[in-house]
Amino acid sequence: MRQLCMPQGLSSDELSKLETLICSARSVQRGEALYRSGDRFDSIYAVRSGSMKTLMAHRDGREQVTGLRLAGEALGLDGISEDVHACSAVALEDSTVCIVPYGALKRLCREISSMQERMHKLLGAQIVREAAQMMMLGSLSADERVASFLLDVSERNAQRGYSSAEFNLRMTREDMGSYLGMTLETVSRTLSKFQKRGLIDTQGKHIRIVDLPGLRQV
Amino acid sequence: MRQLCMPQGLSSDELSKLETLICSARSVQRGEALYRSGDRFDSIYAVRSGSMKTLMAHRDGREQVTGLRLAGEALGLDGISEDVHACSAVALEDSTVCIVPYGALKRLCREISSMQERMHKLLGAQIVREAAQMMMLGSLSADERVASFLLDVSERNAQRGYSSAEFNLRMTREDMGSYLGMTLETVSRTLSKFQKRGLIDTQGKHIRIVDLPGLRQV
DNA sequence: CGTAAGGTTGATAGGACTCAATTTTAGTGG
DNA sequence: CCACTAAAATTGAGTCCTATCAACCTTACG
């Protein structure tokens, strides 16, 4: 957990302070919401096991997947600006999260400058990730989006010490489509096409990347 | 400037500390870059006058507009996570910006908890805005995107005390298209269509919103 | 005032969506 | 543990929206 939540730049003394702060964990069943858009914000979270999706709704009620969080990644930053969550977070499989009370975290950030640094970088990294996602939605074709998404998940798996070539994506095709700005049918067709071309090997939610360079230059 | 940069929750004592921090301003000519992707990050900025766009590049060099900043809005947060700017910021017209050195700002955030609060909310708001933009790109039609963009600019103008019904958009149709994930031709056609329907009145970059409710339900 | 950049509009083509029919997977309960 | 069933995934056919290519007009800057 230490690596996962707040990896770098903390002394072990500081780490123990952090650990007093992470006062609790919580398990979330598949399909259950950790928080919903409109809920009061009082904690941020780190996915300890499993995976989650974040959703945002239009005025008309249509929901779109705005993010995927794998084990070790942070969740809940969407509530900071308004003290109310802007997104909902739903478990893609039975999962557990660490709960980090925001008030206590703020205090710690004031006491320990390396914690402040971490916090800023966490927020800043989310900003950059989302900007990259905007670029993807704004200027890539369906093929390019799917390839780019697979490569992103692969890379994030690698960073967490798992296989970058083979993984289980717990999202449905509909979730993927919603996240990538296309229909579930197009997602399915694109994955089939990649398989025929020998770029990947899919069996439902299990995905193996066969030709990494090939996928990169889709 | 006081309202613009850091409006709420600061005592006047705190404000004067902030003002010692904003040590300088800078003017940026139309078309000139305030910073470029890859530049070392050491300051955040607030647009004092004029307007700017942010750009991000794909590996292949294609650039996309990822943001529009009007007077009073913050700029440069894309550099926090990696100490290097992820975007470029280019002036849409002759503009001036306040320079806020990040190191000094961090120190101030540790001393004054309301400053820390402001900083977190600034970053959090950017995260939520970008998520909303992702939604727009992922699930709206061309018409809906243009309408949504015009309403967004209108609202931001209102917040800054300018007219919400009439404004000058200094972006080109190409910039707008890039930002909205469509071609400049489609932007132009959509604006013409809105004009024919009596929703707006355009003359080049000058835009007047004639039928606000109508535009909302496009 | 000239000229290049920006904007508009038209015709055509193609990529992704929609609707629909099956097949496959996975979660539930006997 | 296996059968059952609803959810998820695949594939096809036809259509529509938006991109592309092209010509022309307008604006603004030097």
Side-chain angles (χ1 to χ4, degrees), chain B residues 200-214:
Chain B
I200 63 172
D201 192 36
T202 60
Q203 286 200 104
K205 300 206 159 82
H206 186 85
I207 292 178
R208 191 163 61 85
I209 296 182
V210 176
D211 180 2
L212 190 69

Side-chain angles (χ1 to χ4, degrees), chain B residues 3-215:
Chain B
Q3 301 99 309
L4 295 182
C5 293
M6 301 274 157
Q8 306 124 349
L10 300 185
S11 71
S12 65
D13 179 48
E14 289 164 356
L15 271 173
S16 63
K17 278 196 187 172
L18 177 60
E19 279 172 349
T20 64
L21 194 148
I22 301 171
C23 44
S24 55
R26 181 179 154 184
S27 74
V28 194
Q29 300 288 92
R30 196 173 82 88
E32 191 192 341
L34 174 60
Y35 58 81
R36 289 189 183 285
S37 167
D39 284 358
R40 219 193 64 205
F41 165 74
D42 43 33
S43 305
I44 66 173
Y45 307 89
V47 179
R48 175 184 280 180
S49 68
S51 56
M52 310 206 61
K53 64 179 172 183
T54 56
L55 302 160
M56 210 170 178
H58 284 281
R59 276 154 297 167
D60 61 22
R62 274 181 302 174
E63 275 195 330
Q64 187 181 330
V65 176
T66 55
L68 166 66
R69 296 304 141 83
L70 307 177
E73 299 178 334
L75 198 59
L77 304 177
D78 57 273
I80 291 179
S81 69
E82 302 285 354
D83 299 311
V84 154
H85 282 288
C87 303
S88 305
V90 173
L92 291 167
E93 57 194 305
D94 294 353
S95 306
T96 57
V97 298
C98 303
I99 303 176
V100 183
Y102 178 60
L105 181 60
K106 270 198 296 194
R107 241 174 287 125
L108 208 59
C109 286
R110 242 176 304 130
E111 289 165 14
I112 306 172
S113 78
S114 54
M115 277 299 296
Q116 183 196 29
E117 186 73 21
R118 284 285 307 151
M119 184 68 186
H120 284 187
K121 285 196 190 285
L122 196 67
L123 291 159
Q126 179 68 12
I127 288 172
V128 173
R129 259 193 308 275
E130 287 184 0
Q133 182 70 6
M134 281 170 48
M135 284 229 306
M136 175 163 121
L137 292 169
S139 59
L140 299 190
S141 69
D143 286 6
E144 292 172 316
R145 281 181 229 181
V146 173
S148 158
F149 175 65
L150 294 177
L151 292 168
D152 180 46
V153 174
S154 161
E155 203 172 298
R156 283 154 69 184
N157 270 322
Q159 277 170 8
R160 294 155 45 234
Y162 294 102
S163 169
S164 65
E166 207 159 346
F167 46 83
N168 264 45
L169 253 188
R170 310 306 289 259
M171 302 171 99
T172 65
R173 300 294 188 255
E174 186 168 19
D175 284 336
M176 287 176 59
S178 175
Y179 183 55
L180 299 176
M182 54 211 248
T183 58
L184 66 97
E185 292 95 330
T186 302
V187 172
S188 179
R189 273 188 249 273
T190 306
L191 291 173
S192 300
K193 197 199 297 176
F194 285 177
Q195 174 137 1
K196 269 177 207 135
R197 285 195 210 156
L199 299 176
I200 63 172
D201 192 36
T202 60
Q203 286 200 104
K205 300 206 159 82
H206 186 85
I207 292 178
R208 191 163 61 85
I209 296 182
V210 176
D211 180 2
L212 190 69
L215 203 58

Side-chain angles (χ1 to χ4, degrees), chain A residues 56-59 62 64 66 78 80-81 83 86 102 106 109-110 113 116-117 119-121 123-128 130-135 137-140 144 181, chain B residues 56-58 62 64 66 78 80-81 83 86 102 106 109-110 113 116-117 119-121 123-128 130-135 137-140 144 181 216:
Chain A
M56 210 170 177
H58 284 282
R59 277 156 296 165
R62 275 181 302 174
Q64 187 181 332
T66 55
D78 57 271
I80 291 178
S81 67
D83 300 311
Y102 178 60
K106 271 199 296 193
C109 286
R110 241 175 306 131
S113 79
Q116 184 196 27
E117 186 74 22
M119 183 69 187
H120 284 188
K121 285 196 189 288
L123 290 159
Q126 178 69 14
I127 288 172
V128 174
E130 287 184 359
Q133 181 71 7
M134 281 170 46
M135 283 230 307
L137 291 169
S139 59
L140 300 189
E144 291 172 317
Chain B
M56 210 170 178
H58 284 281
R62 274 181 302 174
Q64 187 181 330
T66 55
D78 57 273
I80 291 179
S81 69
D83 299 311
Y102 178 60
K106 270 198 296 194
C109 286
R110 242 176 304 130
S113 78
Q116 183 196 29
E117 186 73 21
M119 184 68 186
H120 284 187
K121 285 196 190 285
L123 291 159
Q126 179 68 12
I127 288 172
V128 173
E130 287 184 0
Q133 182 70 6
M134 281 170 48
M135 284 229 306
L137 292 169
S139 59
L140 299 190
E144 292 172 316
R216 283 215 176 91

